[in-house]
Amino acid sequence: MDATGTVMRGDLLILGDSIAALGPSAREHVARLPAGTRLERFDASGCLVLPGFVQAHVHLCQTLFRGLAEQSDLLHWLRESIWPLENAHNETSMAASVRLGICELVAGGVTCVNDMGTVRHSDVVGEVLATTGIRAVFGPALMDAGDGVPPGMLVPAGRQLEEAVRLAKRFDADAGGRLRVSLAPRFILSCSEELWRDVAALSRERGMLVHTHIAEAPTEGAEVKGAKGEHAAPYFARHDVLSERFVGAHGVWLDDAELDVVKHAGAALVHCPGSNLKLGSGFADVKAWRDRGIRCGIGSDGGACNNRLDTFAEMGLASGITRVKHRAAPLPARDIVAMATCDGARALGLGDRIGSLEVGKQADIACVDVATPRCAPFGEEQPYAALVHGASSGDITLTVAAGKVLYDWGDWKTLDPLAVVEDARREGAALLKRAAAAGRA
Ligand SMILES: [Zn+2]
């Protein structure tokens, strides 16, 4: 799929970390390569070759909490489970959590994530991301205020921003440009006015992405309105946080006037339908976002609130929600796939490098087998319907990021799945003990 959604039958040539040729020109290009050039070949017959999926909102630090936080309401879920569990992380449990999430994601065709971490252990997150080979924007969750936040997770704004800059200096030049550090203030209720203002200034100064949550749940919206006297979008606009570098997850409760504010600022939103349904948050009106021209991607959110990190599941839910909300004119399946690929990349400011299969772009690729009973008989002829309504992450045959194979027919190249799961079980159990000792019920 290129930027205009062209679907073609043919070959794709990767040289180094980039796409060198597509379609008929690929074979001609190979014929011109110097004698002795060694090429690896992958048979993608019966498959769709796609730009790798962009998961535009995830929390890899929460993969270890899967099944441990089953409340159906955002604020209780955060205060009673997630924050105490995050507070119990140490370096080894964090590494195990990130590896578990990446193991699942790359086997599902994901080549890029936009991750919000927790307040500590961000170096470990970056180190694991670097070794797994995935592309990532990541940043520690910034929190310096709010009800129910464990005291150990509240860090003064100045110190958090110094830390974010240090991480950016360490990782932005690392891993061949695959990693970028963001500023990730968690949400309005856990950040002081000073923190938002400092985040806005630092983002402007260093061009860093601001990744946060916006208008996710009705109870959160009511607390924001009660505490700040205004809704989320005007609050962010007043603090200069909304800009073309802003990525806000959820946006379920943004009304028309707020969406106009978001559009006017050039900010991006991320739809997380699986999380929104499981936490009972509501149904985002993604068609209204797209009709306004707001850049938007799709995300699974965390392993604790979904619980699967599966782009296919999110695409199916996203499509279903727009069909219920806009029966006469729902979003076409192609738009849903775009949100998971090129539009997700644009939402993260990476649209010039990834998100579509075009010569010169980074070779971030996923192959999906559509010759399965799930997608037959017309998986190849109706690719968008197959991807949104038929296929599942188990149909991924190949995942490539920056020209490097990460997953090939059940074979993980940078991770050992059995060891990852065993490690996650051990680290998860130890983390639960630490959380219990610290007073979590
Ligand atoms: Zn989230």
Side-chain angles (χ1 to χ4, degrees), residues 81-106:
S81 294
I82 295 304
W83 289 340
L85 288 169
E86 283 190 12
N87 199 32
H89 258 311
N90 63 19
E91 290 194 353
T92 55
S93 63
M94 177 62 87
S97 191
V98 175
R99 274 193 211 102
L100 182 64
I102 298 297
C103 204
E104 180 181 4
L105 287 162
V106 298

Side-chain angles (χ1 to χ4, degrees), residues 57-59 62 77 116 211-213 216 249-250 272 275 301-302 305:
H57 178 66
V58 293
H59 299 260
Q62 294 175 13
W77 176 83
M116 179 183 290
H211 177 201
T212 188
H213 298 91
E216 178 176 354
H250 303 294
C272 304
S275 164
D301 211 348
C305 64

Side-chain angles (χ1 to χ4, degrees), residues 212-232:
T212 188
H213 298 91
I214 182 169
E216 178 176 354
T219 46
E220 170 214 3
E223 284 202 23
V224 167
K225 185 76 174 28
K228 310 296 179 187
E230 60 190 338
H231 288 303

Side-chain angles (χ1 to χ4, degrees), residues 176-223:
R178 278 190 294 107
L179 303 182
R180 257 179 52 192
V181 172
S182 66
L183 299 167
R186 189 159 213 141
F187 71 154
I188 290 176
L189 296 175
S190 71
C191 300
S192 68
E193 308 249 332
E194 178 197 2
L195 179 55
W196 289 113
R197 269 192 290 271
D198 290 351
V199 161
L202 190 59
S203 167
R204 224 175 10 251
E205 180 191 322
R206 296 187 59 93
M208 294 171 84
L209 211 68
V210 177
H211 177 201
T212 188
H213 298 91
I214 182 169
E216 178 176 354
T219 46
E220 170 214 3
E223 284 202 23

Side-chain angles (χ1 to χ4, degrees), residues 1-2 51-52 54 341-343 345 350-351 353-357 361 364:
M1 195 169 85
D2 66 14
V54 176
T341 54
C342 51
D343 289 349
L350 297 173
R353 303 192 72 205
I354 60 165
S356 57
L357 303 183
K361 277 202 166 177
D364 286 14

Side-chain angles (χ1 to χ4, degrees), residues 92-172:
T92 55
S93 63
M94 177 62 87
S97 191
V98 175
R99 274 193 211 102
L100 182 64
I102 298 297
C103 204
E104 180 181 4
L105 287 162
V106 298
V110 174
T111 54
C112 179
V113 295
N114 181 32
D115 180 60
M116 179 183 290
T118 185
V119 295
R120 290 185 288 276
H121 315 307
S122 301
D123 284 276
V124 172
V125 175
E127 287 158 14
V128 174
L129 289 169
T131 58
T132 61
I134 201 162
R135 189 180 304 280
V137 181
F138 74 103
L142 310 178
M143 300 166 80
D144 72 339
D147 289 345
V149 184
M153 295 183 78
L154 294 171
V155 185
R159 225 170 76 212
Q160 297 193 57
L161 295 180
E162 273 173 31
E163 172 71 355
V165 170
R166 182 190 66 75
L167 289 165
K169 286 180 178 164
R170 175 176 176 193
F171 287 104
D172 282 359

Side-chain angles (χ1 to χ4, degrees), residues 56-57 212-216 246-260 262-264 266-273 276 282-299 318 321-322 325-326 331 335-336 339 343-344 346-347:
H57 178 66
T212 188
H213 298 91
I214 182 169
E216 178 176 354
F246 179 96
V247 181
H250 303 294
V252 177
W253 295 95
L254 295 170
D255 61 22
D256 284 350
E258 287 185 278
L259 288 178
D260 289 341
V262 170
K263 168 61 185 167
H264 180 72
L269 297 174
V270 182
H271 186 32
C272 304
N276 295 159
F283 305 94
D285 191 353
V286 177
K287 187 159 189 293
W289 305 358
R290 294 183 68 83
D291 286 349
R292 278 176 174 75
I294 294 171
R295 288 176 295 134
C296 55
I298 204 162
I321 290 171
T322 132
K325 275 184 139 354
H326 299 276
L331 283 179
D335 282 29
I336 305 282
M339 285 170 62
D343 289 349
R346 288 174 57 230

